[in-house]
Amino acid sequence: MEEEKKNNDPISRKKFLRMCGTAVAGTALLGVSAVALKRLADKEADYFWQIDPKKCTFCGRCETDCVLPISAVKCVHALRVCGYCDLCGGYYRTNVKDLNTAAENMRCPTGAIKRSYVEDPYFEYTIEESICNGCGKCAKGCNSFGNGSLYLQVKQDLCTNCNECKISRVCPSGAIRRVPYAMAYMLKDD
Ligand code: SF4
Ligand code: SF4
Ligand code: SF4
């Protein structure tokens, strides 16, 4: 009898309805949060770390600070910007005496830059990506003494797209930032 009275008590029903309301509101809130988190995750995946070639100063940290054993940053070459120079500032060290391919004349420490004759006095320079370490020495030389056609980019197929790019934390010129994945390269040819 006492139990039946408790169940019919209008105050208890009111409390019950309030509890239901709170639970529904809580579920709705969780639902919204889950959707918001999913959107955030999708948004993160849509973005990719990249180097702004207008800001990079070729400081060398791209070689040493990537989390990968060999940096995901590589030299790329804008052929439309290149002067096809014989005395290439990216290929040869500063003040070389003879324009020959002796190791002591080469600016690239890994031999990743290949030079091929086009016609007098022009030469084409290509980068062997698999042995480039992203040191930026060639790009620095090219930007100091040439047209600036050599520059650095983070390669999509190598980069693990870290939540926070380790290089971006040490880059002295703030050159690394997230860009939409669809336009993940900041090319000088464009
Ligand atoms: S100098 Fe450095 S950045 Fe340029 S091609 Fe050689 S290894 Fe790559
Ligand atoms: S995001 Fe990670 S893997 Fe990619 S360049 Fe930066 S540190 Fe290297
Ligand atoms: S750390 Fe910044 S300034 Fe240095 S080479 Fe990389 S992008 Fe360029």
Side-chain angles (χ1 to χ4, degrees), residues 83-89 91-92 99-100 115 120-123 125:
Y84 294 82
C85 324
D86 185 0
L87 179 50
C88 168
Y91 186 69
Y92 288 114
L99 298 189
N100 62 48
R115 167 179 159 111
D120 198 32
Y122 302 111
F123 289 83
Y125 299 89

Side-chain angles (χ1 to χ4, degrees), residues 29-182:
L29 193 65
L30 280 175
V32 168
S33 300
V35 169
L37 286 173
K38 172 80 173 58
R39 282 213 185 109
L40 194 65
D42 288 345
K43 206 172 166 199
E44 288 293 308
D46 281 347
Y47 284 78
F48 182 77
W49 292 103
Q50 196 47 273
I51 299 170
D52 184 343
K54 292 192 186 84
K55 290 188 177 172
C56 174
T57 55
F58 320 108
C59 70
R61 303 300 291 263
C62 272
E63 176 196 353
T64 56
D65 284 73
C66 178
V67 294
L68 298 174
I70 299 172
S71 180
V73 175
K74 305 290 174 194
C75 175
V76 295
H77 196 192
L79 290 173
R80 276 195 270 165
V81 180
C82 182
Y84 294 82
C85 324
D86 185 0
L87 179 50
C88 168
Y91 186 69
Y92 288 114
R93 282 193 186 160
T94 313
N95 299 327
V96 286
K97 300 240 171 2
D98 301 305
L99 298 189
N100 62 48
T101 54
E104 65 269 22
N105 293 336
M106 301 292 96
R107 199 182 282 281
C108 176
T110 68
I113 307 180
K114 307 297 173 207
R115 167 179 159 111
S116 52
Y117 175 76
V118 179
E119 63 179 30
D120 198 32
Y122 302 111
F123 289 83
E124 183 175 291
Y125 299 89
T126 49
I127 310 298
E128 198 171 322
E129 187 186 295
S130 61
I131 51 174
C132 171
N133 61 19
C135 72
K137 288 184 169 74
C138 59
K140 192 168 193 166
C142 179
N143 278 264
S144 305
F145 308 110
N147 291 6
S149 55
L150 295 170
Y151 61 109
L152 297 175
Q153 290 284 277
V154 182
K155 295 303 297 283
Q156 265 189 24
D157 52 335
L158 302 174
C159 174
T160 55
N161 205 12
C162 311
N163 281 340
E164 187 179 6
C165 173
K166 190 166 167 258
I167 309 169
S168 75
R169 284 191 255 142
V170 297
C171 175
S173 56
I176 303 186
R177 61 183 166 89
R178 280 196 188 275
V179 296
Y181 215 103

Side-chain angles (χ1 to χ4, degrees), residues 14-33:
K14 208 167 153 186
K15 267 188 195 164
F16 175 71
L17 288 173
R18 203 185 301 142
M19 280 164 64
C20 285
T22 307
V24 168
T27 307
L29 193 65
L30 280 175
V32 168
S33 300

